[in-house]
Structures are given as C-alpha cells and as structure tokens.
Amino acid sequence: ITVKQAQGKPYVVVFVGVNGVGKSTSLSKVCFWLKQQKLKVLLAACDTFRSGAVEQLKTHAARLDVPVFEKGYNKDAAG
C-alpha cells in the first residue's frame, strides 16, 4: 500500500466468492482496519445483479463513513 501511495496510485483489493460466504462482512472489516490506518477508502458496487447488493454495500459504507461508487442494477460497473 505504501508503494502505491508514494506513486500516487490507488491500491486495489478485490473480494470474490460465491453468494453467502461473507464477502460484504469481510469487506467491512478490512475497510474499518484501513480507516484505522488513516487510509482513504472507496467501495465499488460490482455485484449489480443480486437483489439488495448495492443497498447492503451502502449500509456498510454509511456506518463506516466511506463513499460508494455505484451505477445501479443491471449496469456494467466497468463502463
């Protein structure tokens, strides 16, 4: 992370897994830890097909006071 900071570039962490394994919970815990380390955090909603996915991420983000990038459902988060 410090190397990317020195380069002025973002450090990207991707959480991947099947439904129900705790990705959102784990993401929230990592986000909390990063904030404790005085790092800026941005969450990106990429699970745009599962009902409630964006709202779940927004709920975690609101509790952690972290911004969320999202384009809504059935959209390509990359484009």
Side-chain angles (χ1 to χ4, degrees):
I1 294 174
T2 55
V3 171
K4 290 292 188 178
Q5 277 184 318
Q7 296 172 345
K9 296 181 179 179
Y11 186 84
V12 179
V13 179
V14 178
F15 285 72
V16 179
V18 297
N19 291 344
V21 296
K23 292 179 300 295
S24 295
T25 302
S26 297
L27 175 69
S28 297
K29 290 177 181 181
V30 170
C31 182
F32 179 76
W33 182 83
L34 290 170
K35 287 195 64 168
Q36 285 183 320
Q37 306 310 306
K38 308 292 186 220
L39 296 170
K40 293 181 188 176
V41 178
L42 169 71
L43 299 179
C46 298
D47 184 0
T48 59
F49 296 101
R50 181 176 62 87
S51 177
V54 175
E55 287 78 10
Q56 182 182 20
L57 191 63
K58 283 182 174 180
T59 298
H60 286 298
R63 290 179 181 154
L64 294 165
D65 192 30
V66 172
V68 176
F69 174 82
E70 59 94 6
K71 290 188 173 184
Y73 289 99
N74 295 320
K75 304 282 172 86
D76 183 357

